[in-house]
Amino acid sequence: MTGITIRPLCPEDVPAATALFVGGMTETLDGGARRSMAARCAIAGAAAGAAVAAAADRLLKLKPPSTVAALALVPVCASAAVCMYAPRKIASDYIDSCLATDMADPIGHYNGAAARSGFWVAVDDSTGEVIGTVAVEDISNPNSHGKKDGWEDGDAELRRMSVSPAARGCVVSRPLFQRCHQPP
């Protein structure tokens, strides 16, 4: 990558910035939640499967033993399904919520809201492609959730930080993050 320009989000950047946001959040929430849930789901499924097998064997005296094993697989499969479905649902719900709120009009929400708020993009100088995004939301923005969450005046939240997979490792996030520390 030859060069990167950091500039405020423009109307023509919104589709690319939205796509980066959706892709990054899907990857982060779906993959991260799945990884954090995997061990718990496996333990819960195995424990429930063992309990079902023991109960079926003791109460129903099912023969052959393969019937008991088959019944034991039901909670294991249910646990695996939850582990696969829940993170995707969590990610989808969060993304849909953001697309209906701040990402419905990111320029209006961030750039027109409060003095220290803003939304910036990193653009690859050689291609003109938006390869990264970052937003800062001052909690004095009336649409900010910060006050409700107990934040204090002067606080701001780093939001919508995303770098395209092809540009990762190319020093895109550092200049985006540094831009957040500069006065608007």
Side-chain angles (χ1 to χ4, degrees):
M1 187 165 305
T2 57
I4 301 166
T5 299
I6 307 296
R7 61 175 169 75
L9 180 71
C10 299
E12 61 270 11
D13 300 328
V14 172
T18 301
L20 270 177
F21 162 72
V22 170
M25 290 312 301
T26 300
E27 180 182 347
T28 300
L29 292 172
D30 191 19
R34 185 170 291 120
R35 278 189 301 280
S36 72
M37 289 177 64
R40 291 181 189 100
C41 287
I43 292 168
V52 166
D57 188 47
R58 188 180 55 229
L59 298 173
L60 303 175
K61 304 289 185 210
L62 295 173
K63 302 295 179 209
S66 60
T67 306
V68 173
L71 280 175
L73 285 176
V74 171
V76 172
C77 292
S79 179
V82 166
C83 188
M84 292 305 293
Y85 174 73
R88 188 164 292 134
K89 175 75 171 133
I90 292 166
S92 176
D93 288 353
Y94 177 75
I95 291 166
D96 289 347
S97 170
C98 295
L99 291 174
T101 55
D102 66 301
M103 290 302 290
D105 178 16
I107 294 172
H109 183 87
Y110 291 101
N111 294 349
R116 294 181 327 132
S117 294
F119 196 116
W120 297 275
V121 293
V123 178
D124 181 337
D125 291 338
S126 63
T127 65
E129 177 185 5
V130 174
I131 56 173
T133 65
V134 68
V136 172
E137 185 170 31
D138 187 324
I139 63 140
S140 64
N141 177 352
N143 298 320
S144 171
H145 63 80
K147 292 260 189 198
K148 294 177 262 180
D149 291 343
W151 294 22
E152 298 178 13
D153 288 337
D155 289 344
E157 180 179 12
L158 177 72
R159 305 188 79 198
R160 310 304 172 235
M161 182 80 166
S162 192
V163 174
S164 71
R168 292 180 190 158
C170 297
V171 193
V172 175
S173 59
R174 182 171 291 134
L176 279 169
F177 187 71
Q178 289 170 340
R179 176 58 189 98
C180 296
H181 292 287
Q182 298 170 359

